[in-house]
Amino acid sequence: MQISIADNGIGIQPEHMTRIFSHGFTTKKDGHGFGLHSGALAAREMGGALRVESAGPGSGAIFTLELPLRSPETVDA
C-alpha cells in the first residue's frame, strides 16, 4: 500500500535529500530533527519505507509511505 502526500511549498534543497531522514537533521531554527527520522524508522519496523521526492527549491515535495498489506512475519508464511 502507498500513501503519498504532495505539497507546493518551498521544496527541498538537493544537498538535504540524502540527510532528510537522519536523526537530528533539521533546517528549522527551533527544530529537533526527530519527526522524519522517527517516521522512517516506524515505516521500516512495519516492513515498509518512507520516501521523499523534490525537484528542488520552489517545487514542493512528495512524501510517500509504503507499507506491506501483510506484516513482515506473515509474508514468508
Side-chain angles (χ1 to χ4, degrees):
M1 170 182 71
Q2 291 184 343
I3 300 171
S4 294
I5 304 293
D7 70 34
N8 60 355
I10 63 170
I12 301 169
Q13 299 283 345
E15 61 269 21
H16 294 167
M17 293 295 287
T18 59
R19 299 173 39 204
I20 196 160
F21 296 112
S22 298
H23 183 262
F25 177 76
T26 184
T27 59
K28 300 189 185 301
K29 180 182 174 189
D30 295 325
H32 299 286
F34 302 147
L36 289 175
H37 175 73
S38 296
L41 288 178
R44 190 176 313 146
E45 286 180 17
M46 291 184 277
L50 181 58
R51 304 187 196 295
V52 64
E53 300 171 47
S54 178
S59 64
I62 302 171
F63 284 85
T64 301
L65 174 63
E66 299 175 354
L67 296 173
L69 293 177
R70 297 184 187 147
S71 71
E73 294 81 26
T74 62
V75 171
D76 295 327

